[in-house]
Amino acid sequence: MDVDHHHHHHNGNGNGSAAVYDSNGNDEIKQEVKEEPMMSDDDMTFSEMMKKDKKKKKRKAESDEDDSGDEYKPETKNHRKSASKKNGKKHSEDEEESEVEYKPEVKKPKKKDSKKRNRESSEEESDADYSDEDVKPKKKKASKDKNKPSTSTPKKDVKKEPPKKKPKKEEDVVDVWEWWKEEKKPDGVKWNSLQHMGPLFAPAYVPLPDSVHFKYAGERMKLSLEAEECATFYAGVLDHEYSTMKAFNENFMKDWRKVMTSKEREKITDLKKCDFRAIDLYQKEQREIRKAMTKEEKLKIKEEKEAEMKIYGIAVIDGHRQKIANFRIEPPGVFRGRGGHPKMGFIKKRIMPEDVIINCGKDTPIPKPPAGHKWKEVRHDNTVTWLCSWTESVLGQNKYIMLNPSSKIKGEKDYEKYETARRLKKKIAAIRAKYTEDFKDREMRVRQRATALYFIDKLALRAGNEKDVDEAADTVGCCSLRVEHIKLYDSAKIEETDKKEKEYVVEFDFLGKDSIRYFNRVAVEKRVYKNLGKFIENKNPGDDLFDRLDTSTLNEHLRSLMDGLTVKVFRTYNASITLQEQLQKLTNPKDSVAAKILSYNRANRQVAILCNHQRSVSKTHDQAMEKLEQKIKDKKKEVKEAEEALKHARGAEKEKAQKKYDRLKEQLKKLKIARTDKDENKQIALGTSKLNYLDPRITVAWCKEHDVPLEKVFTKTHREKFRWAIDMTNSSDEKFVF
DNA sequence: TACCCGACTTGTTCTTAGCACA
DNA sequence: TGTGCTAAGAACAAGTCGGGTA
């Protein structure tokens, strides 16, 4: 199936930049349709991608307009209301029209408005004095950083570790809970008892020393505490592209001015006149100082962190100690939205205990808020898995403290995910047959659904929920694809260059999650191609490609095909099955371990390509590459020398020389493998798929079968997260098959 | 049905720990 | 024995999905 992916990896994300690109023009089909997938990453230069942003705004305006221009557009879809679930036939006329009468529906971008919430009213509560002794770990960080204040952690009784020994065995901290050997708990209930210490708050702001000056219009200025803190946020972004972006700067200025004193506000009106360089420099110095600390100082910090982790990083859930994932509350800072995020630059406010909701067991002690403070709320909701939550100030979204992936609660869910994907494996043939049949259904709605599903299955696209235009960057997934995101190459044209069967080629070019560009030309079935032609008829570039489809309808349909089936299951299924197939295909049992690992990584890479997991191709990567190259050269030389020596060696010397030669030869081989691996990995990120899409049992089984130590492919965290899979697979006699 | 939102997963980027090497 | 550099992990942004409400 992977022969169809002609990815053209492009790194739209650069270093977190707003990768908005120009999707029109310059995209003539300049490469053969069958071009090798992984090479050549330049179709469009970075800067080309950078311009244009405006377009989006326009899009919105346009579509509002079209709205009235399109006479069809049923009022709202009220009349569909009682078409209860199931895609039964109880649908009103407008959906049953035959192709001829079909007119595209124009979906409106969502509006939210009611949601400006916190933003405006954000001034109150500037009570930054939350630095209470006795509760705050880190009461203060002397800028000189000399005597690291002993973290006065709340619990005096934390036992002091004998400074020399390193505990750190997973088991020391948490229980090994082999939940997969236990009976499953009934639905809905996530736990029976839950105890924890609440979140760890961000350390209080430490003012800049008087020697560090912020300047406005060239003139030194001592800022009020809060204004200064925000200034440090901006200073931190000085080296970054964000500091050159209009939206970022405007948003920052807007929020910054809110925390200024009236005097400051009066004076500081132009960001361009602000000079943060001294602050930036100071921050860099501080970092250097930290780096330059002695071993002892570093060790001390480490121990302090471990102590914090032991208190705040652990929850007891149904009698088992489990790691918490993110027990530290996000410190205040500036919001760094990705892509052309409209809210980038706004300030994330400091979270106080008064903002935090605690969730814990009824019969366990309630975590104590820091002295002088109280929680926003304490609840005992065992139908959810989070321990603490609060509302983040920029987007107004909920944030949670949850358990670590190694926990039962997460692990069990993960396990279920893969089991669902395996059930899909059993049904996939029938499902494919069904949607292929549906390509030619008389209902537009059904044809769109089938076509979308085809892409989701074949290309592993995401679902593509609707997004609020002014709360997020303009990115899309399958259901939200617009006409402008695809191109149809008409068969005649292709036939000249490539007379083969590749008649029906579709090009995708859009920004997906995290504004990562998805670019792919792919040959599709004739029916699909024809359908697409119909779907885009009489539409504007900014209109929805699948105007009769949305994620909830699609998922509802999928559920009718298989229990628990949703769009994302296809991604999981296709990723895992691809890994299994590729491993089968690529592994040579006679290979060395290093060569086998290369095969593994190649299989993994196929998946990453399928899922479009990219990574920024960095200068550092190129440098590393050069270094490797050099090493190989050096090694070659050594081999040559050893070879010479071997020739001249006699007697006992000879054997020694032979050994040396062999060893060097082996090392050289390893280096070459490393080079290949690295090179092939240039713009592909393997981590995401390994962590989220590949059934770990496939990997464990492969290691077992081929005598590859698991730790060569799974890091410590992987092994913790996938303990269930390791245990299940290794303790079974038969080979795991996904 | 539209819309909103809570909860949870997936994803990239930033930061650090720890390793290979001078 | 320190230095520079990755790879691993932390941080946190951005998705998915399903349920409630008007």
Side-chain angles (χ1 to χ4, degrees), chain A residues 348-474:
Chain A
K348 295 196 299 178
K349 291 196 302 179
R350 177 176 292 271
I351 302 301
M352 305 298 287
E354 285 71 14
D355 301 315
V356 174
I357 303 173
I358 296 290
N359 191 33
C360 64
K362 265 203 185 71
D363 311 315
T364 55
I366 294 168
K368 290 205 197 347
H373 289 274
K374 46 192 199 321
W375 303 120
K376 178 180 184 184
E377 185 190 334
V378 175
R379 62 172 79 155
H380 311 286
D381 182 354
N382 73 351
T383 67
V384 296
T385 66
W386 54 266
L387 318 186
C388 309
S389 76
W390 67 93
T391 303
E392 162 264 344
S393 67
V394 173
L395 299 166
Q397 290 172 154
N398 290 348
K399 295 277 201 173
Y400 303 94
I401 290 182
M402 290 185 186
L403 293 178
N404 184 276
S406 61
S407 65
K408 165 189 169 157
I409 244 172
K410 294 291 186 185
E412 202 164 44
K413 206 68 189 304
D414 207 34
Y415 167 65
E416 280 170 20
K417 174 179 76 182
Y418 291 114
E419 288 303 293
T420 307
R422 292 176 80 203
R423 282 193 289 120
L424 174 56
K425 185 192 177 190
K426 294 188 191 135
K427 299 230 173 174
I428 191 74
I431 289 172
R432 283 173 178 161
K434 162 88 168 124
Y435 70 61
T436 304
E437 188 59 29
D438 286 348
F439 287 159
K440 41 185 196 282
D441 194 277
R442 57 186 294 274
E443 264 188 84
M444 173 59 67
R445 187 179 59 87
V446 173
R447 272 177 286 144
Q448 289 196 355
R449 196 179 66 198
T451 308
L453 193 46
Y454 172 79
F455 290 137
I456 283 162
D457 184 18
K458 185 187 179 73
L459 306 176
L461 301 188
R462 294 187 190 81
N465 282 304
E466 299 289 330
K467 297 173 72 186
D468 185 334
V469 174
D470 34 48
E471 295 276 334
D474 175 31

Side-chain angles (χ1 to χ4, degrees), chain A residues 384-638:
Chain A
V384 296
T385 66
W386 54 266
L387 318 186
C388 309
S389 76
W390 67 93
T391 303
E392 162 264 344
S393 67
V394 173
L395 299 166
Q397 290 172 154
N398 290 348
K399 295 277 201 173
Y400 303 94
I401 290 182
M402 290 185 186
L403 293 178
N404 184 276
S406 61
S407 65
K408 165 189 169 157
I409 244 172
K410 294 291 186 185
E412 202 164 44
K413 206 68 189 304
D414 207 34
Y415 167 65
E416 280 170 20
K417 174 179 76 182
Y418 291 114
E419 288 303 293
T420 307
R422 292 176 80 203
R423 282 193 289 120
L424 174 56
K425 185 192 177 190
K426 294 188 191 135
K427 299 230 173 174
I428 191 74
I431 289 172
R432 283 173 178 161
K434 162 88 168 124
Y435 70 61
T436 304
E437 188 59 29
D438 286 348
F439 287 159
K440 41 185 196 282
D441 194 277
R442 57 186 294 274
E443 264 188 84
M444 173 59 67
R445 187 179 59 87
V446 173
R447 272 177 286 144
Q448 289 196 355
R449 196 179 66 198
T451 308
L453 193 46
Y454 172 79
F455 290 137
I456 283 162
D457 184 18
K458 185 187 179 73
L459 306 176
L461 301 188
R462 294 187 190 81
N465 282 304
E466 299 289 330
K467 297 173 72 186
D468 185 334
V469 174
D470 34 48
E471 295 276 334
D474 175 31
T475 63
V476 299
C478 188
C479 294
S480 49
L481 241 18
R482 297 191 295 267
V483 173
E484 62 195 329
H485 296 131
I486 64 162
K487 261 192 214 165
L488 303 181
Y489 287 108
D490 75 331
S491 33
K493 191 166 157 192
I494 295 296
E495 256 162 322
E496 304 178 338
T497 55
D498 187 341
K499 52 229 83 197
K500 303 272 177 53
E501 63 279 17
K502 298 228 175 108
E503 284 176 296
Y504 305 102
V505 173
V506 184
E507 177 185 291
F508 292 82
D509 193 348
F510 60 89
L511 295 185
K513 182 172 175 180
D514 289 305
S515 295
I516 295 291
R517 186 185 182 198
Y518 183 91
F519 183 93
N520 197 2
R521 283 193 192 107
V522 55
V524 301
E525 291 195 24
K526 180 174 175 182
R527 273 284 172 195
V528 169
Y529 187 92
K530 295 283 178 211
N531 278 351
L532 291 173
K534 270 282 188 280
F535 301 162
I536 64 179
E537 225 170 62
N538 301 321
K539 282 190 195 166
N540 297 314
D543 291 342
D544 282 315
L545 173 61
F546 301 117
D547 54 292
R548 299 294 170 88
L549 185 69
D550 61 60
T551 52
S552 62
T553 326
L554 181 52
N555 279 333
E556 202 175 287
H557 170 66
L558 291 176
R559 269 197 301 281
S560 78
L561 301 178
M562 186 190 106
D563 181 44
L565 187 60
T566 64
V567 169
K568 77 194 193 74
V569 178
F570 283 86
R571 241 166 112 81
T572 310
Y573 161 71
N574 280 123
S576 286
I577 199 74
T578 300
L579 178 73
Q580 186 168 83
E581 286 168 1
Q582 291 294 309
L583 281 178
Q584 172 66 21
K585 197 168 117 193
L586 300 173
T587 315
N588 178 356
K590 288 190 229 108
D591 273 350
S592 65
V593 167
K596 282 176 182 164
I597 292 169
L598 176 58
S599 301
Y600 179 89
N601 287 338
R602 281 180 165 160
N604 191 164
R605 196 167 300 125
Q606 289 305 306
V607 177
I609 289 168
L610 174 67
C611 295
N612 199 38
H613 291 141
Q614 301 190 194
R615 65 180 208 168
S616 35
V617 12
S618 55
K619 277 171 230 147
T620 38
H621 179 275
D622 288 349
Q623 286 167 6
M625 216 55 212
E626 273 170 40
K627 280 201 145 165
L628 235 188
E629 215 54 70
Q630 186 57 44
K631 266 176 153 178
I632 288 176
K633 256 192 204 150
D634 296 348
K635 193 60 79 180
K636 272 184 179 162
K637 212 163 109 199
E638 280 189 75

